Amino acid sequence: MLDVLKKSISILDALILAIATFMFFNLDYENLSTSDKIYIAGFGLWTIMLCIRIFIIYKNDGGKND
Protein backbone atom coordinates (compact mmCIF):
# COMPACT_ATOMS: atom_id res chain seq x y z
CA MET A 1 0.00 0.00 0.00
CA LEU A 2 2.92 2.33 0.65
CA ASP A 3 4.05 1.91 -2.96
CA VAL A 4 0.63 3.02 -4.18
CA LEU A 5 0.82 6.16 -2.05
CA LYS A 6 4.32 6.92 -3.35
CA LYS A 7 3.07 6.59 -6.94
CA SER A 8 -0.11 8.60 -6.50
CA ILE A 9 0.95 11.51 -4.27
CA SER A 10 3.26 14.01 -5.87
CA ILE A 11 5.28 16.80 -4.30
CA LEU A 12 2.57 19.31 -5.21
CA ASP A 13 -0.05 17.19 -3.45
CA ALA A 14 2.07 17.17 -0.30
CA LEU A 15 2.54 20.95 -0.60
CA ILE A 16 -1.20 21.52 -1.01
CA LEU A 17 -1.88 19.34 2.03
CA ALA A 18 0.70 21.20 4.13
CA ILE A 19 -0.63 24.64 3.18
CA ALA A 20 -4.22 23.54 3.72
CA THR A 21 -3.37 22.23 7.19
CA PHE A 22 -1.75 25.55 8.06
CA MET A 23 -4.74 27.47 6.68
CA PHE A 24 -7.29 25.34 8.56
CA PHE A 25 -5.53 26.01 11.85
CA ASN A 26 -5.64 29.77 11.17
CA LEU A 27 -9.25 30.09 9.99
CA ASP A 28 -11.70 32.01 12.13
CA TYR A 29 -14.58 29.54 12.15
CA GLU A 30 -16.88 32.01 13.94
CA ASN A 31 -16.69 34.50 11.05
CA LEU A 32 -16.24 32.59 7.80
CA SER A 33 -16.25 34.74 4.71
CA THR A 34 -17.42 33.56 1.31
CA SER A 35 -13.84 32.97 0.17
CA ASP A 36 -13.19 30.82 3.26
CA LYS A 37 -16.25 28.71 2.49
CA ILE A 38 -15.14 28.33 -1.13
CA TYR A 39 -11.66 27.35 0.08
CA ILE A 40 -13.09 24.68 2.39
CA ALA A 41 -15.33 23.30 -0.37
CA GLY A 42 -12.46 23.32 -2.87
CA PHE A 43 -10.19 21.49 -0.48
CA GLY A 44 -12.94 18.95 0.16
CA LEU A 45 -13.28 18.31 -3.58
CA TRP A 46 -9.50 18.04 -3.93
CA THR A 47 -9.42 15.47 -1.12
CA ILE A 48 -12.17 13.41 -2.73
CA MET A 49 -10.39 13.50 -6.11
CA LEU A 50 -7.10 12.49 -4.46
CA CYS A 51 -8.80 9.50 -2.82
CA ILE A 52 -10.31 8.50 -6.18
CA ARG A 53 -6.90 8.81 -7.86
CA ILE A 54 -5.30 6.61 -5.18
CA PHE A 55 -8.10 4.05 -5.59
CA ILE A 56 -7.70 3.97 -9.39
CA ILE A 57 -3.94 3.51 -9.16
CA TYR A 58 -4.40 0.77 -6.57
CA LYS A 59 -6.97 -1.08 -8.69
CA ASN A 60 -5.00 -0.77 -11.94
CA ASP A 61 -1.69 -2.18 -10.82
CA GLY A 62 -1.84 -2.71 -7.07
CA GLY A 63 1.42 -0.88 -6.63
CA LYS A 64 3.38 -3.84 -8.06
CA ASN A 65 4.37 -2.51 -11.49
CA ASP A 66 6.91 0.30 -11.90
Side-chain angles (χ1 to χ4, degrees):
M1 184 66 180
L2 189 59
D3 292 335
V4 174
L5 290 176
K6 285 181 183 178
K7 286 182 180 180
S8 60
I9 296 178
S10 68
I11 293 174
L12 283 177
D13 292 327
L15 182 64
I16 289 170
L17 188 59
I19 291 172
T21 303
F22 177 75
M23 294 280 293
F24 279 125
F25 280 120
N26 292 325
L27 279 179
D28 181 18
Y29 290 101
E30 294 289 324
N31 300 317
L32 288 176
S33 66
T34 304
S35 62
D36 291 337
K37 292 176 185 176
I38 292 171
Y39 173 74
I40 291 169
F43 182 73
L45 288 173
W46 176 82
T47 305
I48 291 169
M49 289 185 287
L50 179 65
C51 291
I52 291 171
R53 182 172 42 165
I54 292 170
F55 178 76
I56 290 171
I57 290 173
Y58 178 73
K59 283 297 181 183
N60 282 341
D61 65 0
K64 296 176 186 169
N65 300 330
D66 287 331

